[in-house]
Amino acid sequence: MAYSKKVVIIGSGPAAYTAAIYAARANLDPLVFGGVALGGQLMITSDVENYPGFAEPIPGPELMERMRAQCGRLGVLIVPEYVSRVDLSRRPFFVETTEGNTASAAALIVATGAKAKLLGLESESRLMGHGVSACATCDGFFFKGKEIGVVGGGDTAVEEATFLTRFASKVTLIHRREALRASAVMVERAKKNPGIAFAWNSVVTEVLGEDSVTGLRLRDVNTNAIRELAVQGLFVAIGHSPTTGFLTGQLTLDANGYIAADARTRTSVEGVFAAGDVVDSRYRQAVTAAGMGCMAALEAERYLAGHG
């Protein structure tokens, strides 16, 4: 099927859904290509406690379903297909999905998010949201008084470990080398923190537990010796990968693959806007993504108004 729309939105997380809501209310009749796994990273989040408007924690999938339902009430067409190719060199912009459907768009909003890099373990996947997390600011509150492990050696890992000491009784920073890659200031801060211990030259080979995390199996990279570390949670902090592969050569990306956008969500191509974690490598929160989605829709509306 070939669609012709004023606004096409790519993605299905808080940024995409919020952009769709605002675009629909502006009578722009938006089309959302949300991919097969609608909902983004919140679909693997158990309880969300820091999204405004909910007095009690709400499961991530339920929050996303409510956003999707709100889009539906406003008449937003959501197509569960991934975008495989775009052509931003012509106007209207051209979008094609993996299923062969296409769309032309006078304005385009990219909100495809970023995925946390994981260890690739079956046990890690099985216990994701049940003691395994990739976001300390999202889930740290749920680990009060518990012992947890943090995998990583860069600034992000040290920041997450430091933040988690506010809640956990003990945080063990697990790194495959004998020295952290983080900045000197961050390393010094971590070493002076009495709540942080270190497991050097170690990699996680298995997350232990059936329904919740009970420990980690670690392998020493030098001796191959195996030992177990008793923890009740695991935070993976080895980086994120923005979903921008289909944009190579179409938009300006930074060195890490994130879309380069200004404070008004405008990208290197006029009429193309970007919102959420596909731009934001720092905060990566549902509420900031939603805010950027709002901004992108408002900017798209102004752009279209200014171009007839």
Side-chain angles (χ1 to χ4, degrees):
M1 181 175 292
Y3 302 92
S4 179
K5 293 287 185 177
K6 294 179 182 177
V7 177
V8 169
I9 300 166
I10 307 175
S12 62
Y17 284 154
T18 305
I21 290 166
Y22 273 79
R25 284 177 53 81
N27 292 321
L28 297 180
D29 188 27
L31 164 66
V32 175
F33 284 123
V36 176
L38 294 172
Q41 290 294 290
L42 281 179
M43 296 302 290
I44 58 172
T45 302
S46 53
D47 286 332
V48 178
E49 199 169 47
N50 54 6
Y51 198 87
F54 296 91
E56 300 297 328
I58 180 172
E62 182 181 343
L63 177 60
M64 298 318 300
E65 182 54 38
R66 291 195 185 192
M67 290 188 187
R68 182 182 178 186
Q70 187 174 3
C71 288
R73 182 178 63 81
L74 293 169
V76 176
L77 175 61
I78 300 176
V79 179
E81 297 176 7
Y82 291 111
V83 169
S84 58
R85 185 170 71 91
V86 298
D87 184 353
L88 307 182
S89 65
R90 66 189 196 189
R91 297 176 189 275
F93 303 122
F94 175 81
V95 179
E96 184 176 8
T97 75
T98 52
E99 302 300 315
N101 291 313
T102 63
S104 61
L108 183 68
I109 297 175
V110 183
T112 45
K115 293 183 179 179
K117 295 179 181 178
L118 301 176
L119 304 175
L121 304 174
E122 181 280 329
S123 52
E124 171 194 40
S125 176
R126 176 169 50 82
L127 291 168
M128 181 63 68
H130 299 278
V132 177
S133 173
C135 180
T137 52
C138 305
D139 300 328
F141 179 81
F142 300 108
F143 292 84
K144 283 186 174 181
K146 297 182 178 181
E147 295 190 15
I148 55 181
V150 175
V151 178
D155 280 350
T156 298
V158 175
E159 287 176 359
E160 300 248 302
T162 302
F163 175 82
L164 289 167
T165 58
R166 302 179 187 181
F167 310 101
S169 60
K170 179 182 178 182
V171 177
T172 300
L173 195 52
I174 304 162
H175 187 43
R176 63 171 54 248
R177 298 180 177 85
E178 59 185 12
L180 297 171
R181 295 181 290 104
S183 61
V185 172
M186 295 296 295
V187 172
E188 188 65 21
R189 187 178 303 167
K191 289 183 175 180
K192 288 182 177 179
N193 192 321
I196 298 178
F198 298 90
W200 302 112
N201 300 311
S202 299
V203 294
V204 177
T205 60
E206 186 177 359
V207 184
L208 305 175
E210 291 298 324
D211 301 318
S212 61
V213 176
T214 60
L216 304 172
R217 186 164 287 133
L218 306 181
R219 178 178 63 84
D220 188 296
V221 297
N222 295 324
T223 66
N224 285 325
I226 301 295
R227 70 183 179 97
E228 292 186 2
L229 178 67
V231 296
Q232 292 80 56
L234 172 66
F235 286 78
V236 183
I238 55 178
H240 287 73
S241 298
T243 309
T244 54
F246 68 100
L247 294 170
T248 302
Q250 299 288 329
L251 286 178
T252 299
L253 308 176
D254 69 14
N256 296 313
Y258 290 87
I259 297 175
D262 66 12
R264 291 171 54 184
T265 73
R266 298 176 299 185
T267 70
S268 57
V269 174
E270 187 180 23
V272 179
F273 307 88
D277 290 7
V278 76
V279 175
D280 174 23
S281 62
R282 183 175 181 84
Y283 298 106
R284 297 193 298 268
Q285 299 296 302
V287 68
T288 52
M292 292 179 70
C294 164
M295 293 164 60
L298 294 176
E299 289 295 335
E301 180 185 4
R302 292 190 179 101
Y303 167 77
L304 292 171
H307 288 76

